[in-house]
Amino acid sequence: TRLRAVNSMDVLFAAFMAWVFFRVALAYALGHRSLGALAPYLIMLLWYGGTYSLGRFIEFQNNSRFFVMLLLVCVLLLLPLVDWAYLYIPYEVGADGAATVGYQGFGRSIFVILLLALFALDKPQTMVAVTIVGAGALGVVGSRSEFYAFSAGCAVAISLLVFANRKALFVVASAGIVAIAAGLAYWIVSGQNLDNTTLRIMELFSGESTSLAERLALFFPILLPIVQNDLSFAFGDILRYADVTGSTGLYLHNILSVLTDFGLVGLILYVSLCLLAAIELIWATRGYRRLVTVGFAIACIIMVLGAKSLFWAEIALFWGLGAQCRTARRRQAAADGAVG
């Protein structure tokens, strides 16, 4: 099949992967970093390659029922974990104070399934239902960034849907009333207990988000040393953030983490992949699917702009889907030309 033909996005992705590997190899060869310290970057490359290939070579658009069923299975699997007194998942904490089961794994898995479901759906009513169920699942899990990004993307998609099709207004308004009522009921039942992982989602609006405060406090101490050094600004300084903060776990949780580690070269490649993927996804779809694709792109871009670092390899799924759409679009254009 010609779907596997290499296109410019594949070349751009290969260039990004090669640049990352080159910078990691150079840091090790020059003795700046140990192999153990650089291991997360090698694992990151594997994740990027796998998720990009998933989006690039597997066609999802005719599998909407599969993803809806998969989402329902995830919800059913979460139900036994829910504390029904407060409607949230109480994560276990080990003797060392570390969580043995955390919200991030749940949140990432549900978020990826939701994005693929949106990409595959072919009915507006199903999209609204998936939006409510998905946002509720992310809320119960307590995955804040995924909840905000998914909700914002779906809000834009649904707004465009209502604007394009006034008949959808009744369905959306009804679903919105139900969702708001459910949210208020949840707030009352939970007793507004902020130890509840779900209600910590609201910390961003109350100004009490410790996670956001910690990320903002790291912003300038990590970024300024890179920007003020011409060589580091151009090519990056891997693990420089660990030197500044004293921990390999304290890095910028946004797209600028690409700049600090892989420089302006890496950032240009990364941003180019994001923009091209968004353009290709929107350009290659028609009608209702285009509206959903806009929401899909917004959710992914929000994640990299304000919530996730370069280690968030799920963005490569977005790139892979864009590359698949580019090849499919070119193939369709060639077929139309041949017929004409």
Side-chain angles (χ1 to χ4, degrees):
T1 175
R2 297 295 295 172
L3 187 62
R4 298 177 182 273
V6 175
N7 61 46
S8 56
M9 283 201 65
D10 296 325
V11 175
L12 198 60
F13 176 72
F16 175 76
M17 295 284 280
W19 176 254
V20 171
F21 183 79
F22 168 72
R23 289 294 295 116
V24 171
L26 186 63
Y28 177 69
L30 295 177
H32 295 168
R33 307 294 177 188
S34 67
L35 185 60
L38 294 170
Y41 295 95
L42 300 177
I43 296 172
M44 181 191 75
L45 286 174
L46 294 176
W47 277 108
Y48 268 79
T51 51
Y52 182 85
S53 298
L54 180 65
R56 176 66 176 85
F57 298 116
I58 298 179
E59 297 188 50
F60 296 104
Q61 288 193 345
N62 296 321
N63 296 305
S64 59
R65 291 183 180 179
F66 169 76
F67 287 110
V68 171
M69 292 301 297
L70 189 58
L71 176 61
L72 292 176
V73 169
C74 287
V75 172
L76 292 174
L77 290 176
L78 288 174
L79 291 181
L81 303 177
V82 175
D83 181 342
W84 293 103
Y86 295 104
L87 298 180
Y88 82 112
I89 297 178
Y91 300 110
E92 296 182 10
V93 178
D96 58 353
T100 56
V101 178
Y103 67 89
Q104 292 182 338
F106 287 131
R108 285 188 172 190
S109 301
I110 295 173
F111 186 73
V112 169
I113 293 171
L114 287 172
L115 290 183
L116 292 176
L118 286 181
F119 185 70
L121 293 178
D122 54 3
K123 294 181 180 179
Q125 298 90 335
T126 312
M127 184 196 75
V128 175
V130 166
T131 299
I132 295 174
V133 174
L138 290 173
V140 171
V141 166
S143 188
R144 287 168 285 194
S145 55
E146 283 83 358
F147 175 83
Y148 291 132
F150 176 74
S151 299
C154 287
V156 172
I158 291 174
S159 299
L160 292 173
L161 174 64
V162 171
F163 181 78
N165 183 2
R166 298 300 174 85
K167 293 180 180 179
L169 180 60
F170 176 76
V171 175
V172 173
S174 301
I177 292 172
V178 172
I180 292 172
L184 290 174
Y186 170 75
W187 181 267
I188 295 171
V189 170
S190 63
Q192 304 180 36
N193 177 13
L194 285 180
D195 289 333
N196 181 322
T197 55
T198 307
L199 292 181
R200 284 207 300 269
I201 288 175
M202 305 305 296
E203 288 178 348
L204 181 64
F205 301 102
S206 64
E208 299 176 358
S209 176
T210 55
S211 176
L212 179 62
E214 290 173 358
R215 295 180 185 187
L216 292 176
L218 294 174
F219 189 79
F220 289 108
I222 294 177
L223 188 62
L224 285 180
I226 301 297
V227 175
Q228 292 172 348
N229 185 303
D230 292 339
L231 191 63
S232 296
F233 181 72
F235 302 107
D237 190 352
I238 292 178
L239 288 175
R240 173 66 180 175
Y241 63 83
D243 296 337
V244 174
T245 64
S247 172
T248 57
L250 298 176
Y251 44 77
L252 295 181
H253 281 69
N254 55 52
I255 197 172
L256 292 178
S257 63
V258 182
L259 174 66
T260 59
D261 278 37
F262 302 117
L264 188 61
V265 175
L267 182 63
I268 290 173
L269 292 171
Y270 190 97
V271 171
S272 299
L273 283 165
C274 290
L275 292 178
L276 283 175
I279 292 170
E280 289 297 337
L281 281 166
I282 295 171
W283 196 355
T285 51
R286 295 290 182 270
Y288 159 73
R289 286 188 183 275
R290 175 168 290 181
L291 304 182
V292 176
T293 301
V294 171
F296 181 102
I298 288 173
C300 290
I301 290 174
I302 287 175
M303 290 291 281
V304 297
L305 285 180
K308 299 298 181 181
S309 70
L310 59 92
F311 293 105
W312 191 64
E314 285 83 348
I315 190 64
L317 176 65
F318 178 52
W319 301 343
L321 289 171
Q324 181 188 130
C325 287
R326 180 175 180 81
T327 298
R329 182 175 57 82
R330 292 173 59 189
R331 183 179 59 181
Q332 183 62 46
D336 293 343
V339 172

